[in-house]
Amino acid sequence: MTYDFLKDFHRRAEIVAIVDFITTRVSRKTRFREYELDAAEAINLVMLVLCFIMEKSLVEEACTKNDVAGFIRRLNVDYLKKSIPDEEYLNISDYLIKDCLQNSGVPHYFITYDFEAAREEKINVRLIDDRRVLMGNESVYSYYMTPQGYKFMFNTLEIEDAMKVSIEQFKLGLSIKKRNFNAARNNA
């Protein structure tokens, strides 16, 4: 391999693939504008719903469309302050889960390159999945995080917090490893 720093590039690109998936899936959706949400607010809403689904998944609780709709309603009442009629929250929940996060059931691939294997790599983005659960006498879908979804969400906050290492300390360590002592001294 010509460039050692490109080793595992395809693994690094997985985060880019997920960000691309979220931003392109959401920013192209004009339906969010019907609810007075601009592109940034819609992306934030998707991330908030992912946090909600992750929380439910971590405690192994069912997470139905109704649960997500109730969460979005509480967010709107407390923070977003958009004029969304009560009957629309289930539609927003359905739209956000099925059309945005589950890509209407169509697999979403991001093409990158594995430099060690010298070949293209397709990254399938699938952040959440669903399964049928019984709620009373009714069978409904419950949504949960996939391993890829956990990895992405943890990389947005939890891993950095768990490591307790600042970016500067990490950069310092890499500078020393690469024998760039001037940069290491300047970062110390």
Side-chain angles (χ1 to χ4, degrees), residues 54-147:
M54 181 175 72
E55 184 65 21
K56 293 285 203 172
S57 297
L58 286 169
V59 297
E60 297 182 1
E61 285 183 9
C63 182
T64 67
K65 274 191 290 184
N66 286 337
D67 296 326
V68 173
F71 174 70
I72 294 170
R73 184 182 184 290
R74 285 188 306 275
L75 282 174
N76 187 46
V77 168
D78 295 341
Y79 304 104
L80 301 174
K81 311 277 191 227
K82 303 295 180 180
S83 56
I84 300 172
D86 277 343
E87 62 273 7
E88 281 300 305
Y89 289 106
L90 198 55
N91 291 333
I92 295 170
S93 172
D94 187 58
Y95 178 70
L96 199 144
I97 290 168
K98 288 184 178 174
D99 290 344
C100 296
L101 290 174
Q102 291 187 320
N103 199 31
S104 302
V106 177
H108 178 84
Y109 293 99
F110 183 87
I111 308 298
T112 188
Y113 202 75
D114 181 339
F115 288 92
E116 284 185 288
R119 68 176 186 332
E120 272 189 355
E121 176 109 2
K122 285 171 116 177
I123 299 170
N124 182 14
V125 177
R126 187 178 182 121
L127 302 175
I128 65 169
D129 209 344
D130 57 57
R131 66 178 154 256
R132 301 287 279 173
V133 297
L134 277 176
M135 300 288 278
N137 293 332
E138 191 178 353
S139 177
V140 295
Y141 283 105
S142 178
Y143 302 94
Y144 62 93
M145 299 300 287
T146 64

